[in-house]
Amino acid sequence: MASPRNSDQPKSLLDGVEASVSGALSITSLRHRSAVLKLPPFDGRVLVAGIFETIRHNYLASNATTNKDRSKQNWRWHSLQPQIAAHNRSPEVVIERAIAAACVALNRTDWANQIPVASGLVEGAGDGRRAIDLVRRHDENHFELIELKIASDNPLYAAVEIVGYACLWLLARSDRPGRSSAMLDAERIDLTVLAPEAYYGRFPLADIESSFDEGVRALGSGMGVTMSFGFRRLDDSIDAGNLLAPRELLDRLEHSLPACLT
């Protein structure tokens, strides 16, 4: 039986992240497109450090370390989830599962999808559903964490999402579960938001990217790892309604271009 929740215990390891970022940027909400369109320049080091401290506080306040071995799924490698429910026609899910199916068909082990990041760490929380959309292994100690977006949310929200997952990775790396994990052994992590060109629209993309990149590089350096952040464009030929053959799909995916082209 689960122990009763302390009223002061966070409901999630990401509790307060949206509010703290919105406050730091003086905007109403990360989810309001109009607010993000008018986003002024900001200090990425301060913002990313604030995200990490919010999540670290939640980790300590919920005593998540006692539950770090409850799930064998967090930061698992390697695993592919190509199955998709018949009723789930979300373009993001369709494309993500098509990528997984392509890897299965081609016997590829350098990609994975739906990697859990916080399952079981906070009792009664919904963190079990939090997962990284796609992960690519570039070499033994170098992984890329990818947030796939088609039409949902906005670039700032997506950036905060993937940076939050990277903060959870840093905490798991410093407070390791008993089992081994190739992802937690990594020495370099690239954080990527991958979306069609139309998704990025009129947002101040270059400013957001450079600020987050500076912030995650500083955070990673302080914890002994190399980290980076970037927006990349999903090739227009990758369409949920007209999927490419496996080899072509992965080739187009792996040759994606930066969204901020100079």
Side-chain angles (χ1 to χ4, degrees):
M1 179 181 296
S3 57
R5 179 187 293 277
N6 185 312
S7 60
D8 296 327
Q9 179 177 311
K11 296 178 181 178
S12 162
L13 290 177
L14 298 182
D15 257 9
V17 169
E18 283 192 48
S20 67
V21 172
S22 297
L25 298 177
S26 300
I27 60 176
T28 52
S29 171
L30 298 184
R31 299 172 187 264
H32 289 180
R33 293 174 61 88
S34 58
V36 179
L37 284 169
K38 301 173 184 177
L39 194 68
F42 59 91
D43 188 327
R45 289 179 177 239
V46 173
L47 191 72
V48 170
I51 294 172
F52 179 77
E53 285 305 317
T54 298
I55 296 173
R56 189 178 74 90
H57 169 79
N58 291 338
Y59 192 90
L60 295 174
S62 61
N63 198 23
T65 188
T66 62
N67 294 323
K68 64 185 179 182
D69 288 308
R70 285 183 69 189
S71 173
K72 297 180 179 178
Q73 300 303 308
N74 292 331
W75 307 108
R76 66 188 179 209
W77 188 268
H78 164 262
S79 179
L80 288 164
Q81 311 296 318
Q83 304 85 3
I84 183 170
H87 65 274
N88 193 339
R89 303 317 299 168
S90 160
E92 293 167 354
V93 175
V94 170
I95 291 173
E96 173 217 309
R97 301 304 165 88
I99 292 167
C103 290
V104 171
L106 298 173
N107 197 29
R108 293 278 295 269
T109 59
D110 55 335
W111 284 90
N113 68 317
Q114 286 299 303
I115 305 294
V117 296
S119 180
L121 294 180
V122 179
E123 292 185 13
D127 287 340
R129 294 189 297 274
R130 298 191 188 278
I132 301 170
D133 293 334
L134 295 163
V135 177
R136 183 182 180 189
R137 189 175 195 173
H138 290 270
D139 61 40
E140 183 178 0
N141 294 310
H142 176 194
F143 288 80
E144 180 182 5
L145 314 185
I146 301 170
E147 183 68 24
L148 178 65
K149 294 292 186 183
I150 302 300
S152 60
D153 309 313
N154 61 68
L156 176 63
Y157 185 91
V160 172
E161 273 190 292
I162 197 66
V163 168
Y165 292 161
C167 291
L168 291 171
W169 175 78
L170 287 169
L171 289 168
R173 194 175 186 275
S174 62
D175 184 25
R176 298 197 178 209
R179 59 184 175 77
S180 62
S181 165
M183 288 188 69
L184 295 181
D185 289 338
E187 297 172 358
R188 175 179 171 182
I189 291 287
D190 297 327
L191 310 178
T192 299
V193 174
L194 180 65
E197 185 176 9
Y199 177 82
Y200 295 118
R202 295 179 292 111
F203 294 101
L205 211 61
D207 288 341
I208 296 173
E209 181 180 74
S210 62
S211 295
F212 272 97
D213 185 51
E214 182 179 6
V216 300
R217 285 180 185 275
L219 179 64
S221 177
M223 300 186 72
V225 296
T226 300
M227 295 172 64
S228 70
F229 171 85
F231 292 114
R232 298 191 74 83
R233 294 191 318 204
L234 184 71
D235 192 287
D236 288 340
S237 66
I238 300 178
D239 187 328
N242 186 25
L243 294 170
L244 300 171
R247 196 174 302 280
E248 186 175 4
L249 173 59
L250 294 183
D251 183 66
R252 297 288 180 94
L253 184 68
E254 290 164 0
H255 290 87
S256 64
L257 297 172
C260 299
L261 292 174
T262 56

